[in-house]
Amino acid sequence: MGKITIAIDGYSSTGKSTIAKQLARALGYVYVDTGAMYRAVTLFAMRKGFIDENHKDVEALVNTLDKIELTFHYNEELEFSEMYLNGENVEKEIRTMEVSQFVSPVAEIEAVRNKLVAMQQEMGRKKGIVMDGRDIGTVVFPDAEVKIFMSASPEKRAYRRYKELLDKGEEVDYDEVLKNVQQRDAIDSDREFSPLRKAEDAIEFDNSDMGLEEQFERMYNFALRVIGKQ
Ligand code: DC
């Protein structure tokens, strides 16, 4: 049976990566978390002092983009691919609130997007891939056979992210997480280059009140139907 491309887009903390991982595992496909790539570039920019609360040096970051090597390495124990920045495993560090604060301003830089989109398209050249992000169905793979657009209320999403961070032992405040979710939504949706929007042919999926199992069943069956038609 022919392999397809599955593009999953949507607002932050809608559970895109959870469903993408489940689908990839069930189908034997590769899963790519494109948010991790934007987060790794952000971490690089923070470490170099190109971005902080008071400034963003776009030129300096753009001029050093070719010094950023991003790779995914599969972790057999965790059963997913971890993000490496110039050979260093940064999987934990890129998930902190600090990186979350700066990632949207970095992701709106055109040269950053061009570099990462080209890498993502190369990864998906042979299909058999589930990719999640903000512009996968619109820009990276406009011809993807399955496009899903995920949404849920900001409060539900903030609560999920809050619990996730607490579970990881980070000290966080719910209101701060909610503010971050809302700010990221706004920047991601209003930016000039490939803003977050639903592709015309994407299926919208609001999981505010849906359990993980039901969500997976629905999407998996949908993907199987599409694959069956290939
Ligand atoms: O999915 P995430 O929360 O880890 O993504 C982090 C940020 O990266 C998000 O605020 C927007 C940006 N992003 C993007 O602009 N395009 C993508 N394809 C993926 C993420």
Side-chain angles (χ1 to χ4, degrees), residues 15-78:
K16 297 186 298 292
S17 65
T18 304
I19 187 71
K21 269 182 219 165
Q22 286 175 322
L23 286 175
R25 190 170 306 162
L27 295 168
Y29 280 16
V30 172
Y31 162 59
V32 176
D33 171 3
T34 62
M37 299 167 74
Y38 288 94
R39 285 171 180 274
V41 172
T42 304
L43 180 63
F44 176 88
M46 286 163 62
R47 285 176 173 177
K48 291 275 182 204
F50 297 156
I51 189 163
D52 59 33
E53 281 84 6
N54 306 312
H55 88 301
K56 174 168 106 173
D57 190 341
V58 174
E59 202 184 330
L61 176 58
V62 170
N63 286 338
T64 38
L65 275 183
D66 59 348
K67 302 274 186 307
I68 303 179
E69 194 201 40
L70 301 177
T71 42
F72 284 103
H73 295 285
Y74 191 73
N75 180 323
E76 302 224 344
E77 224 171 279
L78 301 176

Side-chain angles (χ1 to χ4, degrees), residues 203-218:
I203 299 171
E204 189 156 356
F205 208 87
D206 186 319
N207 67 4
S208 296
D209 301 305
M210 199 181 288
L212 278 183
E213 225 161 277
E214 182 185 352
Q215 168 178 283
F216 170 70
E217 283 300 322
R218 285 199 192 191

Side-chain angles (χ1 to χ4, degrees), residues 84-103:
Y84 281 66
L85 167 63
N86 293 332
E88 174 194 350
N89 184 337
V90 290
E91 190 54 43
K92 280 215 178 75
E93 222 174 319
I94 59 170
R95 311 283 168 195
T96 58
M97 268 296 278
E98 223 197 330
V99 171
S100 297
Q101 251 167 36
F102 296 117
V103 64

